[in-house]
Amino acid sequence: MPIAIQRLDIPVDRDNSYKTSADYLLNLHEQDFDDLHYVLGIVSSHCFFGKAVIRVGSKYYDPTDTNRSFTLPKAPFVSIYEMPVNDLKDFMVDNNNELPTVLNLKVVEMLSQK
């Protein structure tokens, strides 16, 4: 699976993991990958803004990290919210193509309702 993700011809924006992860996720969905999730999380106590990664099956990938194999080591990343690809699409439609982020108040509201 990581090889297929690495071969996607999508621009990588290291400063915007939300957009990069969403672009990769939507592309993977178009290629008929299953069990796709847009994942919001915290990398460490030094990352106050959080980041987005993708989950394909049971593996987490950071498409903004082009220097490694994409697979996230478990320790530094803590998942706080996982959104299936169809929920991500619905969220974007409902919010004028805005992406869910850790600081997005709508996501905070969604988390508090669960």
CSV table of all heavy atoms in Angstrom, one decimal, residues 51-82:
chain,number,residue,atom,x,y,z
A,51,LYS,N,-2.3,18.2,13.3
A,51,LYS,CA,-2.1,17.9,11.8
A,51,LYS,C,-3.1,16.9,11.4
A,51,LYS,O,-3.8,16.2,12.2
A,51,LYS,CB,-0.7,17.5,11.6
A,51,LYS,CG,-0.4,16.1,12.0
A,51,LYS,CD,1.1,15.7,11.7
A,51,LYS,CE,1.3,15.8,10.3
A,51,LYS,NZ,2.7,15.5,9.9
A,52,ALA,N,-3.2,16.7,10.1
A,52,ALA,CA,-4.0,15.6,9.5
A,52,ALA,C,-3.2,14.6,8.9
A,52,ALA,O,-2.1,14.9,8.3
A,52,ALA,CB,-5.0,16.2,8.5
A,53,VAL,N,-3.6,13.3,9.0
A,53,VAL,CA,-2.9,12.2,8.2
A,53,VAL,C,-4.0,11.4,7.6
A,53,VAL,O,-5.2,11.7,7.8
A,53,VAL,CB,-2.0,11.4,9.1
A,53,VAL,CG1,-0.9,12.3,9.7
A,53,VAL,CG2,-2.8,10.7,10.2
A,54,ILE,N,-3.7,10.3,7.0
A,54,ILE,CA,-4.7,9.4,6.5
A,54,ILE,C,-4.5,8.0,7.0
A,54,ILE,O,-3.4,7.6,7.4
A,54,ILE,CB,-4.7,9.4,4.9
A,54,ILE,CG1,-3.4,8.9,4.4
A,54,ILE,CG2,-5.1,10.7,4.3
A,54,ILE,CD1,-3.3,8.7,2.9
A,55,ARG,N,-5.6,7.3,7.1
A,55,ARG,CA,-5.6,5.9,7.5
A,55,ARG,C,-6.1,5.1,6.4
A,55,ARG,O,-7.2,5.4,5.9
A,55,ARG,CB,-6.4,5.6,8.8
A,55,ARG,CG,-6.4,4.2,9.2
A,55,ARG,CD,-6.9,3.9,10.6
A,55,ARG,NE,-8.3,4.2,10.8
A,55,ARG,CZ,-9.3,3.3,10.4
A,55,ARG,NH1,-9.0,2.2,9.8
A,55,ARG,NH2,-10.5,3.6,10.7
A,56,VAL,N,-5.3,4.1,6.0
A,56,VAL,CA,-5.8,3.2,5.0
A,56,VAL,C,-5.7,1.8,5.6
A,56,VAL,O,-4.7,1.3,6.0
A,56,VAL,CB,-4.9,3.2,3.7
A,56,VAL,CG1,-5.4,2.2,2.7
A,56,VAL,CG2,-4.7,4.6,3.1
A,57,GLY,N,-6.9,1.2,5.9
A,57,GLY,CA,-6.9,0.0,6.6
A,57,GLY,C,-6.5,0.2,8.0
A,57,GLY,O,-7.0,1.1,8.7
A,58,SER,N,-5.4,-0.5,8.5
A,58,SER,CA,-5.0,-0.3,9.8
A,58,SER,C,-3.7,0.5,9.9
A,58,SER,O,-3.1,0.7,11.0
A,58,SER,CB,-4.7,-1.7,10.4
A,58,SER,OG,-3.7,-2.3,9.7
A,59,LYS,N,-3.2,1.1,8.8
A,59,LYS,CA,-2.0,1.9,8.8
A,59,LYS,C,-2.2,3.3,8.6
A,59,LYS,O,-3.1,3.8,7.8
A,59,LYS,CB,-1.1,1.4,7.7
A,59,LYS,CG,-0.6,-0.1,7.9
A,59,LYS,CD,0.5,-0.4,7.0
A,59,LYS,CE,0.9,-1.9,7.3
A,59,LYS,NZ,2.2,-2.2,7.0
A,60,TYR,N,-1.4,4.1,9.3
A,60,TYR,CA,-1.5,5.6,9.2
A,60,TYR,C,-0.4,6.1,8.4
A,60,TYR,O,0.7,5.6,8.5
A,60,TYR,CB,-1.5,6.2,10.6
A,60,TYR,CG,-2.7,5.9,11.5
A,60,TYR,CD1,-2.8,4.7,12.2
A,60,TYR,CD2,-3.7,6.8,11.6
A,60,TYR,CE1,-3.9,4.4,12.9
A,60,TYR,CE2,-4.8,6.5,12.3
A,60,TYR,CZ,-4.9,5.3,13.0
A,60,TYR,OH,-6.0,5.0,13.7
A,61,TYR,N,-0.7,7.1,7.5
A,61,TYR,CA,0.3,7.7,6.6
A,61,TYR,C,0.3,9.2,6.7
A,61,TYR,O,-0.7,9.8,6.9
A,61,TYR,CB,0.0,7.3,5.2
A,61,TYR,CG,0.0,5.8,5.0
A,61,TYR,CD1,-1.1,5.0,5.0
A,61,TYR,CD2,1.2,5.1,4.8
A,61,TYR,CE1,-1.1,3.7,4.8
A,61,TYR,CE2,1.2,3.7,4.6
A,61,TYR,CZ,0.1,3.0,4.6
A,61,TYR,OH,0.1,1.7,4.4
A,62,ASP,N,1.5,9.7,6.6
A,62,ASP,CA,1.6,11.2,6.6
A,62,ASP,C,2.1,11.6,5.2
A,62,ASP,O,3.3,11.5,4.9
A,62,ASP,CB,2.6,11.6,7.7
A,62,ASP,CG,2.8,13.1,7.7
A,62,ASP,OD1,2.2,13.8,6.8
A,62,ASP,OD2,3.6,13.6,8.5
A,63,PRO,N,1.3,12.0,4.3
A,63,PRO,CA,1.7,12.3,3.0
A,63,PRO,C,2.5,13.5,2.8
A,63,PRO,O,3.1,13.8,1.8
A,63,PRO,CB,0.4,12.4,2.2
A,63,PRO,CG,-0.6,12.8,3.2
A,63,PRO,CD,-0.2,12.1,4.5
A,64,THR,N,2.7,14.3,3.9
A,64,THR,CA,3.5,15.5,3.9
A,64,THR,C,5.0,15.1,4.1
A,64,THR,O,5.9,15.9,3.9
A,64,THR,CB,3.1,16.6,4.9
A,64,THR,OG1,3.3,16.1,6.2
A,64,THR,CG2,1.7,17.0,4.7
A,65,ASP,N,5.2,13.9,4.6
A,65,ASP,CA,6.6,13.5,4.9
A,65,ASP,C,7.1,12.7,3.7
A,65,ASP,O,6.9,11.5,3.6
A,65,ASP,CB,6.6,12.7,6.2
A,65,ASP,CG,8.0,12.3,6.6
A,65,ASP,OD1,9.0,12.6,5.9
A,65,ASP,OD2,8.2,11.8,7.7
A,66,THR,N,7.8,13.3,2.8
A,66,THR,CA,8.3,12.7,1.6
A,66,THR,C,9.6,12.0,1.8
A,66,THR,O,10.1,11.4,0.9
A,66,THR,CB,8.3,13.7,0.4
A,66,THR,OG1,9.2,14.8,0.8
A,66,THR,CG2,7.0,14.2,0.1
A,67,ASN,N,10.3,12.2,2.9
A,67,ASN,CA,11.6,11.7,3.2
A,67,ASN,C,11.6,10.3,3.7
A,67,ASN,O,12.6,9.6,3.7
A,67,ASN,CB,12.4,12.6,4.2
A,67,ASN,CG,12.6,14.0,3.6
A,67,ASN,OD1,12.8,14.1,2.4
A,67,ASN,ND2,12.6,15.0,4.5
A,68,ARG,N,10.4,9.9,4.2
A,68,ARG,CA,10.4,8.5,4.8
A,68,ARG,C,9.3,7.7,4.1
A,68,ARG,O,8.9,8.1,3.0
A,68,ARG,CB,10.0,8.6,6.3
A,68,ARG,CG,11.2,9.2,7.1
A,68,ARG,CD,11.0,9.1,8.5
A,68,ARG,NE,10.0,10.1,9.0
A,68,ARG,CZ,9.5,10.2,10.2
A,68,ARG,NH1,9.8,9.3,11.1
A,68,ARG,NH2,8.6,11.1,10.5
A,69,SER,N,8.9,6.6,4.7
A,69,SER,CA,8.1,5.7,4.0
A,69,SER,C,6.6,6.0,4.1
A,69,SER,O,5.7,5.2,3.7
A,69,SER,CB,8.3,4.3,4.5
A,69,SER,OG,7.9,4.2,5.9
A,70,PHE,N,6.2,7.2,4.7
A,70,PHE,CA,4.9,7.6,4.9
A,70,PHE,C,4.2,7.0,6.2
A,70,PHE,O,3.4,7.6,6.8
A,70,PHE,CB,3.9,7.3,3.8
A,70,PHE,CG,4.0,8.2,2.6
A,70,PHE,CD1,4.1,7.8,1.3
A,70,PHE,CD2,3.8,9.6,2.8
A,70,PHE,CE1,4.1,8.6,0.3
A,70,PHE,CE2,3.8,10.4,1.8
A,70,PHE,CZ,4.0,10.0,0.5
A,71,THR,N,4.6,5.7,6.5
A,71,THR,CA,4.0,5.1,7.6
A,71,THR,C,4.4,5.8,8.9
A,71,THR,O,5.5,6.1,9.2
A,71,THR,CB,4.4,3.6,7.7
A,71,THR,OG1,4.1,3.0,6.5
A,71,THR,CG2,3.6,2.9,8.8
A,72,LEU,N,3.4,6.2,9.7
A,72,LEU,CA,3.7,6.9,11.0
A,72,LEU,C,4.1,5.9,12.1
A,72,LEU,O,3.5,4.9,12.3
A,72,LEU,CB,2.4,7.6,11.5
A,72,LEU,CG,2.0,8.8,10.7
A,72,LEU,CD1,0.6,9.3,11.2
A,72,LEU,CD2,3.0,9.9,11.0
A,73,PRO,N,5.2,6.3,12.8
A,73,PRO,CA,5.5,5.6,14.0
A,73,PRO,C,4.4,5.9,15.0
A,73,PRO,O,3.8,6.9,15.0
A,73,PRO,CB,6.8,6.2,14.4
A,73,PRO,CG,7.0,7.4,13.7
A,73,PRO,CD,6.1,7.4,12.5
A,74,LYS,N,4.0,4.9,15.8
A,74,LYS,CA,2.9,5.0,16.7
A,74,LYS,C,3.1,6.1,17.8
A,74,LYS,O,2.2,6.8,18.0
A,74,LYS,CB,2.6,3.7,17.3
A,74,LYS,CG,1.2,3.5,17.9
A,74,LYS,CD,0.3,3.0,16.8
A,74,LYS,CE,-1.0,2.6,17.4
A,74,LYS,NZ,-2.1,3.0,16.6
A,75,ALA,N,4.2,6.2,18.4
A,75,ALA,CA,4.4,7.0,19.6
A,75,ALA,C,4.1,8.5,19.4
A,75,ALA,O,3.4,9.0,20.2
A,75,ALA,CB,5.8,6.8,20.1
A,76,PRO,N,4.7,9.2,18.4
A,76,PRO,CA,4.6,10.6,18.4
A,76,PRO,C,3.2,11.2,17.9
A,76,PRO,O,2.9,12.3,18.1
A,76,PRO,CB,5.7,11.2,17.5
A,76,PRO,CG,6.1,10.0,16.7
A,76,PRO,CD,5.7,8.8,17.4
A,77,PHE,N,2.4,10.3,17.3
A,77,PHE,CA,1.1,10.8,16.8
A,77,PHE,C,0.0,10.2,17.6
A,77,PHE,O,-0.1,9.0,17.8
A,77,PHE,CB,1.0,10.4,15.3
A,77,PHE,CG,-0.3,10.9,14.7
A,77,PHE,CD1,-0.4,12.2,14.3
A,77,PHE,CD2,-1.4,10.1,14.6
A,77,PHE,CE1,-1.6,12.7,13.7
A,77,PHE,CE2,-2.6,10.6,14.0
A,77,PHE,CZ,-2.7,11.9,13.6
A,78,VAL,N,-0.9,11.1,18.1
A,78,VAL,CA,-2.1,10.7,18.8
A,78,VAL,C,-3.3,11.1,18.0
A,78,VAL,O,-3.5,12.3,17.8
A,78,VAL,CB,-2.1,11.4,20.2
A,78,VAL,CG1,-3.4,11.0,20.9
A,78,VAL,CG2,-0.9,11.0,21.0
A,79,SER,N,-4.1,10.1,17.6
A,79,SER,CA,-5.3,10.4,16.8
A,79,SER,C,-6.4,10.9,17.8
A,79,SER,O,-6.6,10.3,18.8
A,79,SER,CB,-5.8,9.1,16.2
A,79,SER,OG,-7.1,9.2,15.7
A,80,ILE,N,-7.0,12.0,17.4
A,80,ILE,CA,-8.1,12.5,18.3
A,80,ILE,C,-9.5,12.4,17.6
A,80,ILE,O,-10.5,12.5,18.2
A,80,ILE,CB,-7.9,14.0,18.8
A,80,ILE,CG1,-7.8,14.9,17.6
A,80,ILE,CG2,-6.6,14.0,19.7
A,80,ILE,CD1,-7.8,16.4,18.0
A,81,TYR,N,-9.4,12.3,16.3
A,81,TYR,CA,-10.7,12.2,15.5
A,81,TYR,C,-10.5,11.6,14.2
A,81,TYR,O,-9.6,12.0,13.5
A,81,TYR,CB,-11.4,13.6,15.4
A,81,TYR,CG,-12.8,13.5,14.8
A,81,TYR,CD1,-13.8,13.1,15.7
A,81,TYR,CD2,-13.0,13.7,13.5
A,81,TYR,CE1,-15.1,13.1,15.2
A,81,TYR,CE2,-14.3,13.6,13.0
A,81,TYR,CZ,-15.4,13.3,13.8
A,81,TYR,OH,-16.7,13.2,13.3
A,82,GLU,N,-11.2,10.6,13.8
A,82,GLU,CA,-11.1,9.9,12.5
A,82,GLU,C,-12.4,10.0,11.8
A,82,GLU,O,-13.5,9.7,12.3
A,82,GLU,CB,-10.7,8.4,12.7
A,82,GLU,CG,-9.4,8.3,13.4
A,82,GLU,CD,-8.7,6.9,13.3
A,82,GLU,OE1,-9.2,6.1,12.4
A,82,GLU,OE2,-7.7,6.7,14.0
